[in-house]
Each structure stands twice: as structure tokens, then as C-alpha cells.
Amino acid sequence: MAKKRRTAVKTKKLAVSVSPPRSSARKRTASRKPLSASGRLTVSARRTTRRTNVPQYVYFFGAGKADGDRSMKDLLGGKGSGLAEMTDAGLPVPPGFTITTEVCNLYYENNCTVPGAVDDEMLKRLRQLEKAANASFGSVERPLLLSVRSGSKFSMPGMMDTILNLGLNDSMANALGRRTGNARFAFDSYRRFIQMFGNVVLEISKDAFEDELDTVKRVHGVSLDTELSEGALREVVSAYKEVIREKTGRGFPEDPLRQLRLARDAVFRSWNNPRAKEYRRIYNIPDHIGTAVNVQLMVFGNMGDRSATGVGFTRNPATGAKEFYGEFLINAQGEDVVAGIRTPQPIRELEQLMPAAYALLRRITSRLERHYKDVQDFEFTIQDERLFMLQTRSGKRTAHAAIRIATDLVDERVVTTKEALRLIDAGSLSQLLAPIFDSKAWCKIPVVTRGLPASPGAASGQVVFTAEDAVRWASEGKQVVLVRKETVPDDIHGMYVAEGVLTATGGMTSHAAVVGRQMGKPSVVGATEIQVDETTKRLKIGEHQLGEGDELSFDGLSGEVKVGLVSSQPSEIIQVVAGNLAPEDSDIYKRFNRVMKWADRVRRLGVRANADQPDQANIAYAFGARGIGLCRTEHMFFGEQRIPMVRRMILAGTEEERRKALKELLPLQREDFYGVFKAMRGGPVTIRTIDPPLHEFLPKREELRVEIARLEAKGSRSRKLPGKRKLLQRVEQLHEFNPMLGHRGVRLGITYPEITEMQSRAIIEAAAQLVKEGLPVVPEIMIPLVSDVRELVHQKAVVDRVAKTVMIEQGVTVDYLIGTMIEVPRGAMTANAIAEVSDFFSFGTNDLTQLAFGFSRDDATKFLKLYQDRKIIARDPFASLDEIGVGALVEMGVRLGRGVKPKLKLGVCGEHAGDPDSVRFFDKVGLDYVSAAPYQVPVARLAAAQAVLEAETED
Ligand code: ADP
Ligand code: MG
Ligand code: MG
């Protein structure tokens, strides 16, 4: 936001004045701060004069002013920067301070202690906070309670810890009860605090506390927390303290300052708890960025019936529909809403209960949306009908929602099309192509129950009850659905591998829902009619009894649950692309298409597809690919009737025999190429000459040996025997110890030039046919695995000779190019020489990665995960380009190649073309195009546009 917006002419005041919690006497400035007529939040100009060399470790926010702002996410974390920004804009935010993410690193470097100087700075800010709140930390006269909240740059919902009501002890709880005239509230806060502190700081399991709570509830004959009387809550407090004494051998720490330091350090520690680490691994969040700690004045949603706490979204995060969306609980605090303990009320109902607070919340949040130009996910608390904002951030959403929101925000003129493009996670687009249930099959089975439709998609599989089981079953290749009473953040690894997640409790913003949406995992939550027993692994839905391994299906878009497996069908977008649904009948397709067109206007990189068959090429074209970057001719050999011909070619003892076999293959290849050219409607098509080791087409050596032994055992009369023996002999001859580094690629073309000849003939003949039909065509013939220019010179001579002959035969001219793949490190290193005889390069980053690391692509999975866990490598280099190493080879190839031929055509055809981060790199080094798998083409189009937009903001 521009810092100079103070000049806004017409300003509207917030309709409702906001006063601080009772412990504070001074009127906060919130009600005085204007909102501009444009609906944008007004922010005072940068106010800190603190421009000394001493680094600042603690940033204050309160009384309408903040040291930080939204641009400081790295330092203050998302939560801290949001609190600062909202404070500056005059929104009702309880004051507090943020200890920076830098301190998190200092904490770890410093033997898990916070340096004294930082602690001193914290104490100073605490004094400032006391002033702002007109209360005093640790004083029974003017009690001040705090929340201590984690918050890193990237939101990691529920992965780290937060402690509320800090500062309470016996005398403070009594004092709070007296001052508020509400002792029940005071002891409710106290028991919550002991439990959170016990769990987060003292690392005692939550169950130990929950068990005590359940006992007290039972004794008093109540089922809800809210029904506990003051007396009962006092009992809970003593029982909790007993738990702590028992587990730690010490009493509960009574000194508020000690509590604060311990809590702060525990939040830093929670950065490295196992679930936070797992989350970072899945989402590629770096480990070194650390979390900030936000210390904030408490406001209380648990003060009684006029108080509440809630969360919400400015739009529906599952569908993207423009509807105010959220949930709240009366007389509750913090995690109650998201933890699924009580099922929360939909936010609309707040309008009846507390109209003024509701109206203010709506105004504030829609202004936040316009200000941040994105859907906001917010948290609030109402204390005695006064609204306080506790958090705002960009809402996580499904790909469906992302597309809908982006197009709606453009139509509402909140964002430009360029800004809209940045609101969509390119990697998530594949969710849009995920299957949905086959509607006919789905309708045949009765609905057994319904839950909340938290994340769309079809989930069908065998029931498992724990995350561990999900992982184990999935590793055995089974499709599982994870069924839980509620999911806790620890279940993340199980959710990751499951087809979908079904929970009995929790609302649309419960953990299962939030994480499910982000992963694009079909999720149904709050299916209150199901009974889940995780220990006996039983699930009861009405009269249906299910156990582990039983089949279950559910639909994350409708919330319907059915017993049995249901087949699925292609998503709407795929149906349109395949021509089975009219584009105008699919809202999501139309929006998707608009977004793709915006992306095409912005991107610099061309987008092609890797496709071997005409039907794949057609899909790729429909997804927007305008060319084929890699057509793997050997894939065309795998067709069932072709294998025998290919075998004859390989087994041939003489060149003549081989030519005979190749002759049979020629018309089939020609037909394939014709189809692919046609599908691309004149766009360039890169065809690679045969690449894989020949033995891939032959039967396995061991199997043949066994078969022969068996035949021999039956007696030597079998007629098959001589043939089998001959086959085995040839297989033995062709056997390689390391086929990946063996007789493949250009090496085959050099040993058997007749193969290259046949393929060149098929390509040029197919092209000639198109030329005769008056259709444009530009074949690009690509020689794989070249490490030395002389290899290419040899193959080029073969291709040129055949092409010339065919053109004379056919009486037409075909424009064709000859180039090479750069996929062997030596090829990149000698790219200048290779460029002399090459019309284009295509970086084969799969092999290049394999050969640069010396990791076998097929075996690396065994240790790559361990490497990631040990932080030896950050990401799987086969999924996301290793910029430092493999990227350097690509850059070298570009530099050397273009040094010789400034206009050399450059592309990439590795798997990396479907990875947004890699695409950004390819854009940066100046490639002409990327070539992705057909279904990844939309990802590549959007990622290529985002790469340009990002580069624009950088300079
Ligand atoms: P998370 O990152 O897991 O969302 P938060 O730090 O946002 O954790 O805290 C969770 C919840 O605790 C908040 O949504 C809010 O309800 C409650 N909370 C946090 N700070 C305060 C506060 N100062 N006053 C009242 N409630 C708070
Ligand atoms: Mg939060
Ligand atoms: Mg290769």
C-alpha cells in the first residue's frame, strides 16, 4: 500500500467505536483512524525514526501505530506483519509486540536461549504495552494477560503453538474474577492457560489434561465445557496442577515473567516440532526462515454470552463463491473453533445475536480484502460485544476457488488481470483436472450420511483410521481414505497419501478442512452421524458397520458419503477439452480459459507439450500447447502389434535382415508422425530419434533362462527350444551392466544408422504428405544424448541424405531442422561446438539431472527422502530443477550455444517444465519455450506468465 495515502479526501469513520478491554482505561485511537472513501485502509507515513545501526529485534504495535508493516513478512512473520498493518490502519487490534524471526535463529545458534540484549528489548516493549493497555503485567490491581503466538512468513495452520491467558496464577485468577465480577470466566481462562502451558512448554500430552477435564465433567453431570460452574473449574485447575506436579516433579510456575520467557522459548522450539518440519517439507518452506513470536494483550471471547470467538473468509475458500463465510462460538476462546471440540455456528447467525459487531466485522473484512487485493482469512474475538481483529492473511483455497476468485476480482475491478494471475498457485491447477465421480455410478448408491463439503473432489478407497496406517497401506499401492474423529496437525503425512479425508467433528475451518483444501485433497468434515473408534478401528454409520479395509466413498463438493467404491470420471475441464462437453455449459472451464488467455498475453516463454501419440497431441493442443517439444519415437514402438517387429529388428543378425524389419515399421511411424503434425496444426514438432537401450524391448534374461530350463526338463523334443535359445543368446549379447549409461541414444543411431534412416524417412514422408495437402509443417529432428559434436555430425549426415532423397521422390520441399538434446554434461560444456551444426537445443533436464548428480533416476527414490530429511538436499532435483548445479549446466549451454548462434532456438523438455519454480528459472536464462506433459501445459502457461510478472516487480 502506498505510504502517502493520507491525502485521501473524503474519509469515513468506522461506524462503531472500539474501546479496549476493561483492564485498560484509555480510549484507543482505533475509532479515530479514518478509512478512505475508496475503501482502502489509510496508513500514516513511515513513522519510525529508529534508524540507528543497532538491529531491532522487537517491533511494537498498538495505540494506532506500529513499527512494522505488511512489507515485513520476512522479519515479523505473516501474523506479525498483518497485526502491524491492521494496527496502522486504525483497526481494533489488541496491542502487543513481535519478536522477529531473526531472534528464532539467534535462539538456535545460542544454545536454545534468547540473548540477554533481546530479552532486555522485550522488557522495554512490555513496559510500552503496559502503558498502551493501562495495566501492569503481574499486578493484581491492574492485571494484564497476554497471548504468545507463533507466526512465520508462510502460514502453517496449526503446526506451531500459541499460548493464551498468560500471566495467570492463583492470586491473579482470583483478582481477575473480582475485577470482572466474573469468577467463572477467570477460572475458565486459568484452566485453559495451564493446559496450554503444560502442553506447549512442559510438553505434557493434551490427553493427560483432557482426561481430568472429562472426569470433572462426569462428576458434575455436564457434557460441555461451557456448562462447568466456577466451582467445577476450580477443581479442574487443581487437577491440572496435580498433573503438572506429577509429570514434571515441580509446581506450576507462578511468576508471570518467567511464564512469558518460557512460553516465548517454547514457541521458538515449536518451529522444529515434527509436524512443522513435515509441513515445511511438503510445501517446500525453507527451514532457516524461523518463526516470529507475537506477544499480545488478551481479549476475551469467553467472558459469557455477549462474547465470542471466530474465524472466517471473505469468500468461500472451497468454491470461491462471493459469500461471507465463517464460523464462531459464543463464550469460547481461541482454538475452540478450529479444534472441532464444539461444532461452531455459521457466521450469518452472528448477525442476529450481535448486529453491531457483525456489521463492523463485515466492513472491516471487506476493506481488508480490497486493501490486500485478495481473499482474506481472518480471526476475531468479541469481548462483551466489542470486536477485535486478531489476524488477517490471504486465504488458502482450492484451485476451483482460486480460478473463480481471480475472475470475480477482475470483474469487480479489485485487481487487474496481471494481479489476478498472481493470485493463483500454478502448481495447484492440476487439481482442476482431477477426476470427479461418474455421476451415473454415484447416483446408484444411497447416501449414508452427509458432512460439510470442505474440499472438492472424488474420494474412494479402503478405510484406514490412522495416519500411520494410511502411509503404510498407500506404500503397498492401495487406495485409502482416512477416517478420523477429528484430524490434528500430526496427521498431515497420512492426509498427504490418502485419496480423501473424512472426519466426524469440526467445521469448515477445522484443521482437516484447511489442510485438505490446500493439498487439493477431497475432504468431508463434521459428519456428525458417524461414530469413529480409532482404537478398535471401527466406523459406524447408521446401521452400517465398517472396519479397516472396507470400501467407502465421499464427495468433497456435496459432502455426501456412500458405502462402497465408485468409479470416477474426468473433470469438467477435461470433458470440455476432450470435446464431450460444450464450453458454454461449464462455468469453471470458461473462467479457466479466461485466466489462461490472460497468462498468454503476459508470458514470454512458448509452451509446448511432450506427446507421442496423436490423441495426446490433441489434448495438449486443447490445453494450449502450440507445438511438441518432445515426441519419443520409441514410445511408438511399444504398441502391441509393433513389439514383434521391433524384436525382429533387434534380433536381426545382418543389416539386411534389420532393414527388412525396419521396413515394416516405417508405415506405422509415418502414420503416427502425420497424426502428430496434424494435431499441432502447423506448430513445430520435435521428434527425437530412438533413445532407450534395445534390451528394453526384449524379454527379461532371467525369465528366459527359467523358461528354457523348464522346457529342457520336459525333454528336448519341444520345438520352441531352439528359438528360445537363440533369443537368450541375443539377450545375453545385449545385456548391459548399466543400461542407463550404455548403448542408447545417439550411440544406437551410430551403430545402426539404418534406424535413423528409417525414422528420418518416416518423418520427412509424413511432412511431405502434409505439404502436398497444403498444410504447414515444421519437423524438428532431434538427436538424443549427444556428448560430442562429431556424434551429431554423423547423424546429421544420415538425416540430410535421407531427407534429400525423399524430397526428390516426393517432389516437394520440406523445411526441417536438425538439433540435439543437451542432456549429458559434456554436451553442455561443449555447446559452442555443437551449436555450429545444430539448429536448436532442447535441454533434457531429466537425464541432465541424473548425470550431473550421478543419481540413477530409478534408484534415487531410495535415498532422496533421507537426503531431504537430513537437509543434504532441499528438494527432489527430479521434480524441481537444481538451479545451482544442473541450472549452471543449462546456463552454460545457453551461453556457449548463443555465443556461436545468437538466434539458436532453445527449449527444455524435462519433467521440470511442469514445475513453476523451474519455469521461472527457464524464463530467467532466456529459453524460448518449455515443453511439459499434456496435463501440465496449463501449469506451464500460468507459471511462465508469473515468471514475467515476478521479474517485473523485481526491477
Ligand atoms: P494459529 O497460528 O494456529 O492460528 P494464533 O496465534 O492465531 O494461532 O492463535 C489461535 C487463536 O488464539 C486465535 O485465533 C485467537 O482466537 C486466539 N488468540 C490469539 N491471540 C489472542 C488474543 N490476544 N486475545 C484473544 N484471543 C487470542
Ligand atoms: Mg491464527
Ligand atoms: Mg534423455
Side-chain angles (χ1 to χ4, degrees):
M1 166 172 37
K3 302 267 159 58
K4 42 189 178 312
R5 259 234 188 82
R6 342 181 55 171
T7 47
V9 202
K10 274 190 256 164
T11 56
K12 248 193 274 171
K13 292 203 169 181
L14 281 168
V16 177
S17 90
V18 179
S19 46
R22 280 184 189 162
S23 53
S24 167
R26 198 155 58 96
K27 273 260 179 243
R28 301 252 322 289
T29 46
S31 55
R32 296 201 308 266
K33 286 286 217 140
L35 282 164
S36 74
S38 66
R40 297 214 156 80
L41 302 171
T42 315
V43 170
S44 54
R46 187 103 182 107
R47 68 324 284 162
T48 34
T49 46
R50 210 179 294 104
R51 274 286 165 259
T52 49
N53 293 332
V54 189
Q56 188 177 345
Y57 290 117
V58 187
Y59 284 70
F60 188 76
F61 56 90
K65 269 169 76 180
D67 296 346
D69 62 38
R70 69 186 285 189
S71 68
M72 296 164 79
K73 269 192 180 176
D74 286 336
L75 198 58
L76 305 181
K79 202 178 287 169
S81 83
L83 288 168
E85 185 87 358
M86 287 196 292
T87 300
D88 254 349
L91 298 185
V93 176
F97 51 84
T98 304
I99 307 170
T100 65
T101 54
E102 275 173 10
V103 178
C104 185
N105 288 331
L106 285 178
Y107 169 83
Y108 282 107
E109 282 160 24
N110 208 20
N111 245 330
C112 290
T113 46
V114 167
V118 179
D119 195 69
D120 291 346
E121 204 180 325
M122 178 182 88
L123 294 181
K124 258 199 250 155
R125 298 288 158 246
L126 183 59
R127 297 286 95 81
Q128 199 178 345
L129 174 58
E130 288 177 327
K131 261 203 196 147
N134 190 27
S136 167
F137 192 53
S139 133
V140 286
E141 275 80 49
R142 294 180 303 150
L144 174 78
L145 300 187
L146 298 174
S147 72
V148 178
R149 317 172 63 189
S150 59
S152 75
K153 176 177 181 185
F154 303 102
S155 103
M156 299 168 51
M159 298 297 144
M160 289 182 293
D161 296 316
T162 287
I163 296 174
L164 305 179
N165 311 325
L166 185 134
L168 283 172
N169 52 35
D170 288 349
S171 50
M172 205 70 77
N174 282 313
L176 184 67
R178 274 196 310 276
R179 289 188 57 86
T180 55
N182 188 345
R184 190 204 168 275
F185 148 72
F187 278 84
D188 183 53
S189 305
Y190 193 18
R191 62 101 187 173
R192 289 168 183 275
F193 171 52
I194 300 176
Q195 167 162 357
M196 282 183 265
F197 191 89
N199 177 241
V200 174
V201 181
L202 307 174
E203 298 179 8
I204 300 170
S205 90
K206 280 184 185 148
D207 292 345
F209 297 104
E210 290 297 331
D211 289 348
E212 297 299 332
L213 186 64
D214 287 343
T215 309
V216 175
K217 280 189 198 164
R218 211 166 35 240
V219 169
H220 288 264
V222 302
S223 59
L224 292 176
D225 295 4
T226 40
E227 295 165 339
L228 290 166
S229 64
E230 176 204 335
L233 287 165
R234 283 181 186 269
E235 287 169 33
V236 174
V237 166
S238 347
Y240 277 8
K241 287 183 150 184
E242 207 37 57
V243 169
I244 287 184
R245 187 169 295 282
E246 207 177 280
K247 302 268 176 185
T248 64
R250 304 166 81 184
F252 183 74
E254 300 264 334
D255 172 21
L257 202 52
R258 179 141 180 270
Q259 293 173 353
L260 175 58
R261 291 190 174 115
L262 287 170
R264 171 196 66 195
D265 294 358
V267 170
F268 283 140
R269 266 202 311 280
S270 73
W271 175 250
N272 275 329
N273 70 36
R275 58 173 192 253
K277 281 161 86 173
E278 176 76 1
Y279 188 92
R280 290 201 293 274
R281 198 181 64 75
I282 294 177
Y283 291 103
N284 295 311
I285 297 173
D287 288 321
H288 68 265
I289 61 175
T291 180
V293 176
N294 300 287
V295 176
Q296 190 180 28
L297 181 70
M298 278 300 299
V299 289
F300 299 100
N302 60 335
M303 261 194 179
D305 292 346
R306 310 311 303 157
S307 300
T309 184
V311 298
F313 288 83
T314 51
R315 291 171 199 244
N316 186 319
T319 65
K322 189 179 181 187
E323 58 199 22
F324 195 55
Y325 187 90
E327 288 156 336
F328 71 100
L329 276 172
I330 293 285
N331 196 11
Q333 200 175 48
E335 303 287 272
D336 292 5
V337 186
V338 287
I341 297 166
R342 275 156 67 194
T343 298
Q345 288 171 263
I347 198 127
R348 289 242 145 250
E349 293 174 15
L350 188 63
E351 191 167 13
Q352 269 86 56
L353 294 172
M354 303 181 198
Y358 177 81
L360 180 59
L361 180 66
R362 289 225 51 172
R363 283 190 51 196
I364 289 177
T365 53
S366 51
R367 275 161 172 74
L368 283 172
E369 184 181 273
R370 257 170 292 159
H371 173 62
Y372 281 102
K373 297 181 171 217
D374 195 8
V375 172
Q376 294 298 295
D377 165 357
F378 53 87
E379 299 176 9
F380 64 94
T381 282
I382 297 171
Q383 172 178 329
D384 259 340
E385 303 211 12
R386 281 194 297 273
L387 173 73
F388 293 92
M389 297 305 295
L390 292 175
Q391 190 168 336
T392 193
R393 63 181 166 210
S394 284
K396 296 198 190 306
R397 68 207 74 174
T398 62
H400 273 89
I403 293 285
R404 171 135 186 212
I405 289 164
T407 43
D408 279 351
L409 288 179
V410 167
D411 292 340
E412 292 164 30
R413 297 179 185 284
V414 176
V415 298
T416 62
T417 57
K418 280 185 176 183
E419 286 165 338
L421 288 171
R422 301 190 72 172
L423 296 179
I424 304 164
D425 170 12
S428 78
L429 286 183
S430 44
Q431 280 176 36
L432 290 176
L433 312 181
I436 52 179
F437 282 123
D438 170 355
S439 54
K440 273 199 203 120
W442 182 245
C443 289
K444 276 192 203 132
I445 303 183
V447 177
V448 289
T449 189
R450 271 195 182 80
L452 302 170
S455 175
S460 197
Q462 293 177 281
V463 172
V464 290
F465 291 93
T466 67
E468 286 67 37
D469 289 336
V471 170
R472 196 157 39 79
W473 286 51
S475 72
E476 291 163 10
K478 293 177 183 141
Q479 292 202 345
V480 297
V481 291
L482 180 61
V483 180
R484 302 280 289 163
K485 215 184 271 175
E486 64 199 38
T487 60
V488 293
D490 284 326
D491 291 336
I492 181 154
H493 53 302
M495 298 178 71
Y496 191 55
V497 298
E499 302 296 309
V501 182
L502 171 67
T503 70
T505 59
M508 291 290 273
T509 49
S510 66
H511 179 264
V514 171
V515 176
R517 274 194 293 275
Q518 187 184 358
M519 287 183 173
K521 192 73 47 182
S523 308
V524 173
V525 302
T528 47
E529 289 166 3
I530 69 172
Q531 287 169 34
V532 188
D533 189 333
E534 284 151 13
T535 35
T536 59
K537 304 197 172 175
R538 302 294 308 167
L539 165 67
K540 196 164 169 283
I541 316 177
E543 72 259 32
H544 297 273
Q545 297 271 2
L546 281 79
E548 191 177 46
D550 288 343
E551 293 165 349
L552 190 73
S553 300
F554 46 86
D555 180 351
L557 201 58
S558 67
E560 292 169 335
V561 181
K562 302 188 177 187
V563 173
L565 287 184
V566 180
S567 59
S568 42
Q569 69 178 36
S571 79
E572 264 186 36
I573 289 179
I574 300 280
Q575 290 183 45
V576 174
V577 161
N580 301 326
L581 181 68
E584 53 280 8
D585 291 341
S586 171
D587 179 62
I588 188 69
Y589 177 81
K590 280 186 286 183
R591 290 172 184 269
F592 165 81
N593 206 32
R594 275 179 82 192
V595 170
M596 287 293 124
K597 294 245 165 70
W598 298 336
D600 294 345
R601 285 212 303 263
V602 172
R603 68 184 160 91
R604 188 193 59 76
L605 279 171
V607 176
R608 300 193 188 182
N610 298 348
D612 318 316
Q613 310 285 349
D615 55 340
Q616 287 174 11
N618 275 315
I619 294 257
Y621 188 88
F623 276 134
R626 291 296 173 263
I628 303 270
L630 177 61
C631 176
R632 301 171 171 95
T633 51
E634 66 275 7
H635 284 193
M636 299 169 159
F637 287 163
F638 281 121
E640 208 157 334
Q641 9 85 287
R642 302 187 185 186
I643 283 275
M645 301 178 205
V646 176
R647 278 200 188 151
R648 273 201 291 284
M649 166 187 95
I650 297 168
L651 291 172
T654 63
E655 189 187 319
E656 215 180 307
E657 266 179 63
R658 195 169 313 108
R659 283 193 185 278
K660 231 171 91 196
L662 285 166
K663 227 179 188 155
E664 292 181 277
L665 285 166
L666 175 70
L668 302 172
Q669 287 244 290
R670 186 173 52 217
E671 208 176 294
D672 289 336
F673 294 144
Y674 178 81
V676 171
F677 291 147
K678 211 155 185 180
M680 276 305 129
R681 297 148 174 84
V685 175
T686 306
I687 297 167
R688 179 176 73 184
T689 54
I690 191 168
D691 183 29
L694 290 182
H695 76 260
E696 275 192 17
F697 296 98
L698 297 178
K700 297 259 168 309
R701 180 164 68 149
E702 282 63 35
E703 283 166 19
L704 259 181
R705 281 180 180 165
V706 171
E707 215 181 317
I708 289 171
R710 233 188 248 131
L711 288 172
E712 282 172 346
K714 271 205 238 156
S716 56
R717 266 178 305 150
S718 169
R719 256 198 250 128
K720 283 192 200 153
L721 208 45
K724 292 278 170 193
R725 284 197 181 120
K726 192 169 162 231
L727 187 61
L728 177 64
Q729 199 186 6
R730 188 72 178 135
V731 169
E732 302 267 17
Q733 268 173 6
L734 289 171
H735 175 77
E736 289 175 314
F737 289 102
N738 201 335
M740 267 296 171
L741 301 176
H743 198 187
R744 55 177 283 224
V746 67
R747 301 156 203 171
L748 271 180
I750 288 174
T751 6
Y752 305 118
E754 51 277 15
I755 301 181
T756 310
E757 274 173 29
M758 182 278 282
Q759 294 197 304
S760 313
R761 177 170 277 278
I763 294 167
I764 303 294
E765 284 182 355
Q769 199 173 325
L770 279 160
V771 172
K772 286 184 198 162
E773 291 168 23
L775 298 170
V777 60
V778 191
E780 301 178 346
I781 300 171
M782 179 159 79
I783 310 298
L785 226 67
V786 166
S787 58
D788 191 288
V789 64
R790 279 163 291 195
E791 291 172 314
L792 183 59
V793 168
H794 177 281
Q795 292 289 288
K796 185 170 156 39
V798 175
V799 175
D800 283 338
R801 179 163 42 78
V802 173
K804 209 165 153 194
T805 318
V806 173
M807 286 194 270
I808 293 170
E809 285 168 10
Q810 303 286 327
V812 290
T813 323
V814 174
D815 289 325
Y816 66 95
L817 307 179
I818 299 183
T820 180
M821 270 179 103
I822 298 290
E823 55 181 339
V824 178
R826 197 178 184 281
M829 292 162 181
T830 60
N832 45 342
I834 295 175
E836 300 275 6
V837 287
S838 213
D839 296 323
F840 63 89
F841 287 171
S842 176
F843 291 93
T845 49
N846 298 344
D847 267 312
L848 198 56
T849 299
Q850 165 165 275
L851 294 169
F853 277 94
F855 288 168
S856 149
R857 250 194 282 174
D858 310 296
D859 300 317
T861 40
K862 289 187 193 125
F863 53 83
L864 273 182
K865 165 98 172 53
L866 185 81
Y867 265 41
Q868 283 166 277
D869 291 346
R870 296 274 152 85
K871 317 248 175 301
I872 294 168
I873 57 169
R875 297 175 71 174
D876 175 349
F878 292 104
S880 189
L881 190 84
D882 159 52
E883 291 185 18
I884 299 174
V886 182
L889 286 168
V890 173
E891 275 190 286
M892 181 188 291
V894 171
R895 188 167 37 79
L896 295 179
R898 288 242 169 97
V900 171
K901 273 193 190 149
K903 292 231 165 112
L904 187 69
K905 204 183 219 190
L906 299 173
V908 63
C909 60
E911 227 43 51
H912 301 96
D915 170 62
D917 288 335
S918 311
V919 170
R920 193 180 315 124
F921 177 82
F922 298 136
D923 183 69
K924 198 176 74 190
V925 300
L927 300 193
D928 296 309
Y929 68 87
V930 297
S931 185
Y935 286 70
Q936 304 272 38
V937 164
V939 176
R941 283 164 84 187
L942 179 55
Q946 289 175 339
V948 170
L949 295 173
E950 244 162 76
E952 273 175 11
T953 39
E954 266 161 32
D955 29 77

